[in-house]
Amino acid sequence: MSTSKLFEPYKVGNITLSNRTAMAPLTRNRAVGGFVPNPLAVDYYSQRASAGLLITEASQISQQGQGYQDTPGIYTQEQVAGWKKVADAVHAKGGHIFIQLWHVGRISHSSLQPNGGKPVSASAITAKTKTFVNNSFTDVSEPRALELAEIPGLIDDYKRAARNAAEAGFDGVEIHAANGYLLEQFARASTNKRTDAYGGSIENRSKLILEVAQAVSKEIGSDKTGIRISPVTPANDAAIDDDAQKLFDYITDGLSAEKLVYLHVVEGATGGPRDNAPFDYTSLRKRFSGTYIANNGFDLALAEKVLAADAADLIAFGKPFISNPDLVERLKVGAALNEPDKATFYGGGAKGYTDYPTLAVAK
Ligand code: 8OZ
């Protein structure tokens, strides 16, 4: 039986987590009509309620914010009703859950956009990547640059999503500012060629992230507002800035000033090597006054090492939580883990979603 810090309670804002694990946000593409969470999501998340903090799969804040088929939204009342069942079921099991708020920006396809229009981004630069629509991998569409006059409306979409999240009973929200999606498209120089107040200098490229963080905090409280960043991920054709350290140090200072409750950091290349590019995460850790959540490629040994060094407060596990609903219990007793089945990650039903066995069942 492990006595690691990982299994100690930890306070985030006004909630006390039963341990220091988080379930990372994981896209599963199983939403039903109207981009409402699948009824199976109630089981899926509540099966994993022994995680300290559950973070839902990325959920678009508007139709414009969607980039893949069958991802859930948090912009209609029907979606709120679907999510409420998830949040209630997790709470009934004593768990805690934040919803991840997502706008994909240019990582989209016109067939998903309002009136079949172009996806939006900081600038009209097409990503060299594919998305999954109409049951196949397809090149993303050419985007158009968001007009300056559209930015207040975009921020309103984040505010509405945050209000909806509170109405659905979530403990808070996580702003998705990672993995090459809209907010990162604004932050990175390679995808932002704007000449207005949102482009050019580090301060200008960081402006949208900080305005969204401030708007969401004002809407539901900074103690309920977390954010996820990925300073050096190449995900979704995001070129790594020469000045990534300066950029993300600056962003982190701004987020800390807004008193966001947590900073969730994808350390390294999302789902890949943790050391793909030089970056000093301890700088972010030191600058940020709230909770620091570390993610990417963690196993028990690395989690214990990082917590013992006080390099993070919480450790987020992704794929291990897909295949192990009782991941926390398994880590505690040093049990073997089920291997995740990649073929059932995206789309489908209960198979590979709610049917992974717990230790109690497997025995
Ligand atoms: C995998 C497939 C589709 C989307 C991310 C939301 O990378 C995602 C995502 C992951 O943040």
Side-chain angles (χ1 to χ4, degrees), residues 25-27 29 58 68 100 102 176 178-179 181 228 235-236 270 346:
L26 295 156
T27 288
N29 305 77
Y68 306 80
Q100 197 191 45
W102 194 24
H176 192 340
N179 297 344
Y181 296 111
R228 190 174 207 234
N236 288 313
T270 313
Y346 309 118

Side-chain angles (χ1 to χ4, degrees), residues 42-173:
V42 177
D43 275 348
Y44 168 69
Y45 285 107
S46 64
Q47 284 172 353
R48 289 158 179 76
S50 60
L53 181 66
L54 297 170
I55 304 161
T56 73
E57 65 211 90
S59 303
Q60 59 268 6
I61 58 164
S62 60
Q63 187 185 340
Q64 185 194 67
Q66 182 173 0
Y68 306 80
Q69 77 180 44
D70 304 329
T71 55
I74 180 72
Y75 55 94
T76 71
Q77 280 306 307
E78 229 191 324
Q79 293 161 359
V80 171
W83 280 122
K84 188 166 191 320
K85 292 180 192 147
V86 171
D88 287 350
V90 168
H91 290 148
K93 284 205 170 176
H96 294 98
I97 184 164
F98 274 43
I99 183 171
Q100 197 191 45
L101 305 186
W102 194 24
H103 192 307
V104 296
R106 67 179 188 156
I107 310 299
S108 186
H109 190 265
S110 291
S111 63
L112 292 169
Q113 291 293 309
N115 308 312
K118 289 183 174 183
V120 299
S121 186
S123 298
I125 305 169
T126 308
K128 291 182 200 67
T129 191
K130 291 184 189 294
T131 180
F132 194 74
V133 283
N134 303 317
N135 297 316
S136 64
F137 286 97
T138 309
D139 286 343
V140 298
S141 302
E142 182 189 355
R144 65 176 181 83
L146 263 175
E147 286 170 30
L148 193 57
E150 291 178 285
I151 291 185
L154 171 71
I155 292 174
D156 283 345
D157 288 345
Y158 277 97
K159 292 203 291 199
R160 176 185 57 200
R163 274 197 309 279
N164 285 346
E167 189 186 328
F170 284 105
D171 297 293
V173 306

Side-chain angles (χ1 to χ4, degrees), residues 282-331:
T282 64
S283 171
L284 307 187
R285 165 72 163 151
K286 280 188 210 128
R287 283 162 190 273
F288 189 70
S289 59
T291 295
Y292 184 101
I293 310 181
N295 174 235
N296 205 30
F298 276 89
D299 59 12
L300 178 61
L302 185 60
E304 287 184 331
K305 192 174 145 200
V306 165
L307 289 178
D310 200 31
D313 298 302
L314 301 177
I315 305 294
F317 297 88
K319 291 192 267 297
F321 259 120
I322 288 185
S323 51
N324 298 277
D326 57 345
L327 180 65
V328 175
E329 291 74 14
R330 285 175 188 255
L331 293 178

Side-chain angles (χ1 to χ4, degrees), residues 237-295:
D237 195 28
I240 300 164
D241 286 67
D242 297 337
D243 56 0
Q245 188 78 50
K246 269 197 198 134
L247 174 63
F248 283 90
D249 279 353
Y250 177 84
I251 290 171
T252 299
D253 284 343
L255 297 169
S256 192
E258 286 301 331
K259 302 215 163 356
L260 258 62
V261 74
Y262 72 68
L263 180 70
H264 182 179
V265 185
V266 181
E267 298 175 340
T270 313
R274 291 177 50 79
D275 59 355
N276 69 313
F279 195 86
D280 177 17
Y281 297 99
T282 64
S283 171
L284 307 187
R285 165 72 163 151
K286 280 188 210 128
R287 283 162 190 273
F288 189 70
S289 59
T291 295
Y292 184 101
I293 310 181
N295 174 235

